[in-house]
Amino acid sequence: MRERLEQLEEDALRKLSAAADKDIVTELKVRYLGRKGELTSITRELSKLPEDERRSLGKLTNDIKKRLEEKITTLLNDFSVKEQEDSLKSGILDITLPGRRPPLGRIHPVTRVMGEVEEIFLGLGFEVAEGPEVELDYYNFEALNIPKDHPARDMQDTFYIDNEILLRTHTSPVQIRYMKTCRPPLRVIAPGKVYRRDSDLSHTPMFHQVEGFMVDEGITFGDLKGLLIVFLQSLFYKDIGIRFRPSFFPLTEPSAEVDIRCLICEGKGCRVCKDSGWLEILGAGMIHPEVFNSVDYDSTKYSGFAFGVGIERITMLKFGIDDIRLFFENDLRFLEQF
Ligand code: DAH
């Protein structure tokens, strides 16, 4: 048995040394070390031998196996190195070619403008809060003074999970969530996604808003006006046209809508501003006493303002984009421009 093993090692090593390429080495590996290989079948026979013989021959078998494996690994390695050198020499692999640059990702324009808005308000001492996109009817409507039968719900039809759970139609519910857990004075913005049953040139079923609100003793409409002017002038430029229009929102009283001069047609009238020359970009007002009641604030002591800005709108104006749907088509030719 010992002789057979020694003979086998000698044979194997001789054949391996003579191997001309990788394939032959692999073949020999199977032949000697494979599951049905020669060395493996000897190992099986060992089990029939008496104990002490089995032990010493077992050790020899293992040593041979180890030596053969080492030899095979070295050979395979040498052959791959040689292959690489050959292909370099033959010019198949040209290592002097310049590398291919992986395409660089970019920040989506909506995300970018959202960041700019946050920066401006952080600079004005506001903090950033968030709320859930899947929201309770209570926070989205009821607590904001929009009861079940209120006609204002028509403009904010949305996707319902069930009767009481929906995709939020605005970021205003964050006002309620925040005020329920904190006491005035407070200055907060709440950016995020909102959803509505709307789809045309200037509406998508999902879009982004930033809500803002400030509550303290003695806050006036003048504070709201001043803040929004500073905000819009920082976001666009100093002499952008801004107008406040009286409006109605159940959550504020008095309420206003703020328009800026259409930057796409410069006020001449186009399809984006529906020929009016103005674009509505935010709703605002003084927080309604009923809203303060929902969060147990004393409305005789505190006052505050709130506003909600549509981010897609201002992004379109900033970059001269005339179709809101472009933001969500994921066309790289569009996205690469920002
Ligand atoms: N939530 C309103 C909307 O999406 C916008 C709005 C109006 C927000 C007045 C406010 C506000 O905070 O005071 O139509």
Side-chain angles (χ1 to χ4, degrees):
M1 184 67 103
R2 183 176 294 275
E3 258 166 48
R4 244 177 90 198
L5 278 166
E6 281 163 356
Q7 187 61 46
L8 181 143
E9 180 178 16
E10 208 187 302
D11 268 9
L13 285 176
R14 187 161 26 79
K15 288 195 178 113
L16 280 169
S17 301
D21 60 36
K22 238 179 174 168
D23 293 345
I24 300 178
V25 176
T26 312
E27 240 167 64
L28 290 169
K29 182 178 174 184
V30 175
R31 172 159 158 202
Y32 288 103
L33 303 179
R35 215 149 41 83
K36 294 183 185 150
E38 291 181 26
L39 196 64
T40 319
S41 60
I42 293 182
T43 316
R44 256 181 239 123
E45 286 170 38
L46 286 181
S47 61
K48 292 171 204 140
L49 297 176
E51 161 95 44
D52 54 341
E53 232 178 301
R54 182 166 22 130
R55 202 175 285 162
S56 72
L57 286 176
K59 182 172 179 324
L60 179 64
T61 316
N62 275 338
D63 290 346
I64 293 176
K65 192 170 170 209
K66 216 186 277 164
R67 285 196 289 271
L68 289 181
E69 273 169 352
E70 267 166 27
K71 176 87 182 165
I72 289 168
T73 312
T74 317
L75 282 172
L76 288 177
N77 211 5
D78 289 351
F79 280 123
S80 340
V81 172
K82 193 168 169 303
E83 245 171 44
Q84 266 181 24
E85 284 171 357
D86 286 351
S87 65
L88 268 182
K89 265 186 232 143
S90 65
I92 294 172
L93 182 65
D94 181 355
I95 57 164
T96 66
L97 270 177
R100 290 195 191 106
R101 217 175 263 280
L104 258 193
R106 278 156 208 271
I107 295 190
H108 192 281
V110 167
T111 312
R112 191 168 131 186
V113 170
M114 192 103 102
E116 284 175 29
V117 172
E118 283 173 27
E119 279 302 311
I120 294 171
F121 281 105
L122 284 173
L124 291 165
F126 280 65
E127 64 177 289
V128 180
E130 283 186 336
E133 288 167 35
V134 180
E135 185 55 285
L136 292 174
D137 182 285
Y138 173 76
Y139 289 108
N140 195 79
F141 292 127
E142 211 85 26
L144 289 164
N145 198 28
I146 315 173
K148 285 248 178 340
D149 57 0
H150 199 291
R153 287 202 181 200
D154 280 356
M155 282 189 304
Q156 301 199 10
D157 195 8
T158 181
F159 304 89
Y160 282 81
I161 313 301
D162 66 26
N163 265 343
E164 297 304 325
I165 304 174
L166 43 79
L167 296 188
R168 67 178 179 189
T169 57
H170 48 185
T171 41
S172 305
V174 184
Q175 284 185 37
I176 305 296
R177 287 184 174 273
Y178 192 94
M179 289 195 279
K180 270 197 190 268
T181 54
C182 298
R183 302 271 106 192
L186 44 93
R187 273 184 282 188
V188 182
I189 57 162
K193 290 185 167 62
V194 301
Y195 303 82
R196 286 190 200 178
R197 194 172 171 277
D198 267 339
S199 188
D200 63 35
L201 265 190
S202 48
H203 298 87
T204 46
M206 184 280 300
F207 61 104
H208 298 77
Q209 284 187 340
V210 172
E211 190 78 9
F213 49 101
M214 178 168 179
V215 181
D216 200 352
E217 291 177 38
I219 302 284
T220 67
F221 199 94
D223 295 316
L224 168 63
K225 217 172 156 182
L227 181 93
L228 289 178
I229 290 172
V230 167
F231 162 57
L232 293 172
Q233 289 183 340
S234 320
L235 190 67
F236 294 99
Y237 42 83
K238 263 240 126 22
D239 57 352
I240 185 162
I242 301 172
R243 75 176 184 189
F244 288 72
R245 247 181 320 110
S247 183
F248 172 80
F249 295 105
L251 57 157
T252 43
E253 180 59 35
S255 304
E257 277 175 280
V258 179
D259 301 339
I260 59 172
R261 201 160 262 299
C262 183
L263 298 174
I264 292 179
C265 61
E266 291 172 342
K268 287 192 217 64
C270 66
R271 62 175 188 163
V272 175
C273 61
K274 304 217 167 76
D275 290 325
S276 70
W278 292 92
L279 261 176
E280 180 214 322
I281 51 167
L282 60 86
M286 300 308 288
I287 297 175
H288 199 289
E290 280 301 332
V291 174
F292 280 150
N293 282 344
S294 320
V295 298
D296 290 326
Y297 279 13
D298 179 355
S299 60
T300 60
K301 182 171 178 203
Y302 294 113
S303 59
F305 60 73
F307 58 89
V309 200
I311 300 297
E312 279 76 2
R313 280 286 171 84
I314 54 181
T315 308
M316 287 168 81
L317 291 168
K318 255 181 106 83
F319 296 118
I321 297 161
D322 65 357
D323 186 342
I324 193 174
R325 293 167 297 198
L326 284 166
F327 289 129
F328 307 115
E329 284 170 353
N330 286 337
D331 188 333
L332 287 179
R333 290 169 302 180
F334 171 73
L335 294 172
E336 270 167 5
Q337 297 174 48
F338 302 95

